[in-house]
Amino acid sequence: MSLIKQVWSLVIGILIFACLGCVVFSVLSARNYLENQLAIKNHDTAASLALTLSQRDSNRTMLERGISTQFDTGHYKSILLRSSGGLVIIERSMDLKDFGAPVWFSELITIDSPAGHAQVMSGWKQLGTIEVISHTGFAYADLWTGTLRLVGWMFVIAIGGVTIGHRAVQRLRQPLDLLAKQADKLVENRFAALPKPIPMPKTPELKRVVEAVNQMVMQIRALFAEQSTQIEALRRATTCDPLTGVAHRQHFLAEAGATLDQQDGNPVGGLLLIRLNKLSDLNVLVGRARTDALLRDIAIALSHPLAGYPDSVLHVGRLNGTDFGLLVAASDDLRGLANAWLERVRQLVAAFPAATVTVSGAAMQPGMGLMQLMLAADLALAQAEARGSKAAEIESGQSATSQAGGEAAWRRQLIGALTHPSHARLEEFPVIDRTGQTLHAEARLRLQLVDGGPFTTANIWLPMAMRTRLTARLDEMALTLALQDISRDGQPRAISIALLSLRSPEFVLRLVQGIKLAPKAAASLWVEVDEDALASYPMVTAELCRVLRAYKVRVGLEHAGERLQAIGVLQECGLDYVKLSADFTAGVATDAEQAVLVRSACTLLHGLKLQVIAEGATDPADLGALWACGVDGVSGRVQKE
């Protein structure tokens, strides 16, 4: 029983006990008073009647008349005249009748009417003894009426007491409710979701408890913030170039490779290389400090989007002393994007006469790997330097999203796939735990864009789906197919929600409508959003988590690692798991610093009761190191080896 219920039980119990006790003692006191009054009345009546009879003639007729006169003037049960030998000479009596009190009340509360006695004399001769007993029916009626009146007043007092008690309990309950919420979050290790300190109550005992809880909460918050800060500092030290703050070569290549492997991730349009020429000459002319400042300015400029090209840059890295790399999203105008970056960097180096900038790029083609993309970009960079070109040099023809027929044709193909269920299916990739058991299957949507053609991966059709604003409908289709598959075999499946889908205000409602059609299957559904949702759409993502959790859907983050310190934003909604991106976990078997970073992230996430899964494990050596770091599951091709 809760404390509030116990307090209410105590208050009500005290009121009932007090009222009942008051009624009982009042009734008993009234009964004693009535018995005393009846005894006095019987005695006085007997004495008065005996004196009256003693003054009359002693014949029987006169005695009967005197006794009858007295009997008719009051409420008597009986009046008797007994001889000195104890024989009844004259008797007048009345049977008990109902005078307004219930029978059960008269049986429960007995009222005695002590008989009054007096001697009847005739001169000096004793005629007999008079005995008077008053009727108790009228006493019962008065006692019953008084009891009802008393019970009514006790009820009014009880109502007033309950009202006062309710207000007192409400005042007491407010800090207790806040304490209970704090305790629930502490028990669930939802430290990031702890509310503000509880206001201090006036009750001394509660005040001490609240002070202790507030201090503990503040210490936990500080500890969580310190851990997040340490992990962020460790991540930057492990993955970033110390001078410019962008990713160093190894991490940039890992990020680019992971992005290319994520068939359902952001579609890659190509790779841009930006070279600051004659760096050594620049060091001599302006000094190392100014040269380093220029490199930092270039890195900052590359980290901010260009006007007219929002969300165009996926990853930024410093490849060596003079070269920067940009992995850019799919675009129909890769050359224009490259020239825009060239112009921005030229503006930065305009104040340094000895410095020049060369920009090259390579467009991503289906089936092209990271090394091929790098080689193509390097070739274009060499060609640009050889020609002394003032414009960006682009290698490999069309970009990945330039297709015959243009946007209208793509839209027709996507709508055709949406309207024909047979043109869409899910391809599954297992996620296993350390025992080899399948946690769930990553279900990725594949579309048949042409009748009789192949089912294509998302990196083919996702760019145009984003442009035509059809990602929400495609995610809804993936949800429907996943629920159908779960209903068929009961195996858990995970689907991924595109960032662009979260822009639709009705998207979450439509997801819920689909889940309501298969509530049992929804209990085995896992839904993932990209880590970028923490920064881009925090409110919508929080609402998505809250609504889906109500239907027992597990909600998590995918491709995580860069913004682990921001996970507390969604912790209040109850995240279930986090998938660390492949570039975050790559190389843990050989890179001790990377292993420490992954282990620290796992410790932090486990402290929040979040399941940790490593994405894209391809190296068997990394698999054992990942288990040692504390991950709960892995996905990737290494499982099949």
Side-chain angles (χ1 to χ4, degrees):
M1 183 183 293
S2 67
L3 178 61
I4 296 300
K5 290 183 178 179
Q6 293 183 43
V7 171
W8 266 118
S9 300
L10 180 63
V11 170
I12 294 175
I14 290 175
L15 286 174
I16 292 176
F17 180 78
C19 293
L20 185 61
C22 182
V23 170
V24 170
F25 284 115
S26 297
V27 170
L28 293 179
S29 297
R31 184 191 67 175
N32 293 334
Y33 173 78
L34 290 173
E35 287 180 345
N36 291 333
Q37 292 299 313
L38 288 174
I40 293 173
K41 176 186 176 184
N42 291 338
H43 178 74
D44 291 346
T45 301
S48 176
L49 182 59
L51 180 61
T52 301
L53 294 179
S54 296
Q55 296 176 353
R56 296 190 178 193
D57 294 338
S58 58
N59 60 72
R60 182 181 179 86
T61 301
M62 294 301 295
L63 293 175
E64 287 181 351
R65 182 177 297 175
I67 291 173
S68 297
T69 302
Q70 184 63 42
F71 186 83
D72 294 337
T73 59
H75 304 292
Y76 298 101
K77 179 180 179 181
S78 65
I79 299 179
L80 303 176
L81 178 62
R82 298 180 184 274
S83 65
S84 57
L87 297 176
V88 177
I89 301 174
I90 300 173
E91 178 182 5
R92 290 294 306 272
S93 62
M94 181 174 62
D95 294 335
L96 289 173
K97 295 182 179 179
D98 182 11
F99 288 92
V103 176
W104 63 267
F105 182 76
S106 59
E107 292 177 351
L108 181 64
I109 308 296
T110 58
I111 299 178
D112 294 331
S113 181
H117 297 87
Q119 300 295 326
V120 180
M121 306 294 291
S122 177
W124 296 100
K125 180 181 179 182
Q126 181 178 351
L127 294 179
T129 302
I130 194 74
E131 178 183 282
V132 178
I133 301 176
S134 295
H135 204 303
T136 58
F138 299 99
Y140 277 117
D142 290 341
L143 184 60
W144 172 249
T145 302
T147 301
L148 290 179
R149 189 180 298 111
L150 180 62
V151 170
W153 278 111
M154 289 299 102
F155 180 76
V156 173
I157 293 173
I159 294 297
V162 169
T163 302
I164 296 173
H166 174 72
R167 294 184 178 181
V169 170
Q170 285 297 102
R171 292 184 61 184
L172 179 65
R173 185 171 186 168
Q174 291 177 357
L176 290 177
D177 287 342
L178 294 175
L179 280 172
K181 292 179 180 179
Q182 293 276 44
D184 289 340
K185 290 179 172 60
L186 291 172
V187 169
E188 298 171 3
N189 284 351
R190 293 162 61 184
F191 305 132
L194 291 174
K196 297 179 180 179
I198 304 172
M200 286 295 171
K202 296 181 179 180
T203 308
E205 294 80 4
L206 279 178
K207 186 176 181 179
R208 291 195 297 269
V209 175
V210 169
E211 286 178 347
V213 171
N214 283 343
Q215 290 178 2
M216 179 176 60
V217 167
M218 297 306 295
Q219 290 175 357
I220 291 176
R221 276 182 169 178
L223 178 61
F224 179 81
E226 182 181 357
Q227 288 181 338
S228 300
T229 303
Q230 289 176 351
I231 290 179
E232 177 61 15
L234 182 60
R235 184 193 68 81
R236 294 188 66 84
T238 304
T239 63
C240 296
D241 175 60
L243 175 62
T244 61
V246 298
H248 55 56
R249 180 183 180 88
Q250 182 180 355
H251 188 63
F252 175 76
L253 295 179
E255 287 182 321
T259 302
L260 292 177
D261 289 339
Q262 292 167 7
Q263 296 178 337
D264 291 314
N266 290 317
V268 177
L271 175 67
L272 300 182
L273 297 180
I274 299 173
R275 172 169 292 177
L276 180 61
N277 301 310
K278 301 179 181 180
L279 184 61
S280 58
D281 295 341
L282 192 61
N283 273 326
V284 173
L285 290 175
V286 301
R288 186 177 184 86
R290 290 192 63 189
T291 303
D292 289 346
L294 175 60
L295 290 171
R296 284 192 292 269
D297 290 341
I298 292 175
I300 293 173
L302 296 177
S303 301
H304 291 77
L306 288 167
Y309 296 92
D311 304 324
S312 61
V313 177
L314 303 178
H315 302 291
V316 182
R318 188 184 183 193
L319 305 181
N320 51 49
T322 61
D323 294 351
F324 290 88
L326 297 180
L327 191 69
V328 297
S331 172
D332 288 335
D333 188 16
L334 184 61
R335 186 178 300 275
L337 177 61
N339 285 320
W341 281 116
L342 176 60
E343 182 61 29
R344 171 177 281 194
V345 178
R346 278 178 175 171
Q347 292 176 3
L348 293 174
V349 302
F352 301 85
T356 59
V357 180
T358 303
V359 175
S360 69
M364 184 67 189
Q365 297 297 324
M368 181 180 288
L370 177 60
M371 289 301 101
Q372 293 174 299
L373 192 61
M374 286 289 295
L375 289 173
D378 280 336
L379 176 60
L381 187 62
Q383 292 174 349
E385 288 183 323
R387 297 172 183 173
S389 176
K390 295 183 179 180
E393 190 75 23
I394 302 298
E395 181 70 19
S396 296
Q398 291 182 329
S399 70
T401 58
S402 298
Q403 300 290 339
E407 181 177 334
W410 269 98
R411 183 176 181 84
R412 286 195 300 271
Q413 291 175 348
L414 291 174
I415 292 179
L418 285 168
T419 54
H420 295 83
S422 61
H423 287 193
R425 69 184 184 189
L426 296 178
E427 186 174 354
E428 299 179 359
F429 304 90
V431 176
I432 63 171
D433 60 16
R434 64 176 63 240
T435 65
Q437 299 297 318
T438 300
L439 293 175
H440 65 265
E442 294 180 338
R444 303 309 182 200
L445 185 64
R446 303 293 181 252
L447 298 180
Q448 188 182 53
L449 300 176
V450 181
D451 290 340
F455 282 84
T456 57
T457 59
N459 61 347
I460 301 298
W461 45 261
L462 185 57
M464 195 53 62
M466 295 172 64
R467 176 171 296 182
T468 55
R469 307 291 181 179
L470 292 175
T471 56
R473 293 181 59 183
L474 292 170
D475 286 338
E476 293 167 23
M477 172 176 283
L479 171 72
T480 301
L481 294 175
L483 291 175
Q484 290 175 354
D485 291 344
I486 294 173
S487 300
R488 184 182 67 254
D489 56 24
Q491 297 301 315
R493 287 172 173 82
I495 62 171
S496 178
I497 301 298
L499 281 178
L500 190 59
S501 299
L502 298 178
R503 292 184 181 179
S504 173
E506 299 179 355
F507 175 68
V508 176
L509 295 177
R510 291 198 296 268
L511 283 186
V512 172
Q513 291 174 356
I515 288 174
K516 286 182 177 180
L517 299 177
K520 293 183 178 179
S524 297
L525 180 66
W526 300 44
V527 173
E528 304 169 358
V529 294
D530 193 277
E531 185 188 47
D532 288 339
L534 293 174
S536 302
Y537 311 104
M539 300 302 295
V540 179
T541 309
E543 179 66 13
L544 177 70
C545 293
R546 186 188 64 81
V547 172
L548 294 185
R549 285 282 302 218
Y551 296 93
K552 299 182 179 181
V553 177
R554 295 171 64 86
V555 184
L557 294 181
E558 61 177 349
H559 315 326
E562 297 294 326
R563 295 187 175 90
L564 287 179
Q565 74 277 10
I567 287 181
V569 176
L570 292 183
Q571 188 57 28
E572 175 66 21
C573 309
L575 285 174
D576 295 292
Y577 65 98
V578 171
K579 288 186 175 180
L580 299 177
S581 63
D583 60 278
F584 189 83
T585 59
V588 292
T590 57
D591 190 337
E593 292 183 350
Q594 191 70 26
V596 171
L597 177 60
V598 174
R599 187 178 298 109
S600 300
C602 290
T603 301
L604 173 65
L605 296 173
H606 285 154
L608 297 174
K609 287 192 174 180
L610 295 175
Q611 198 172 21
V612 183
I613 298 172
E615 294 178 340
T618 58
D619 188 345
D622 283 345
L623 184 59
L626 287 172
W627 297 132
C629 289
V631 300
D632 303 301
V634 296
S635 66
R637 295 187 297 272
V638 72
Q639 303 173 44
K640 302 178 182 179
E641 297 180 9

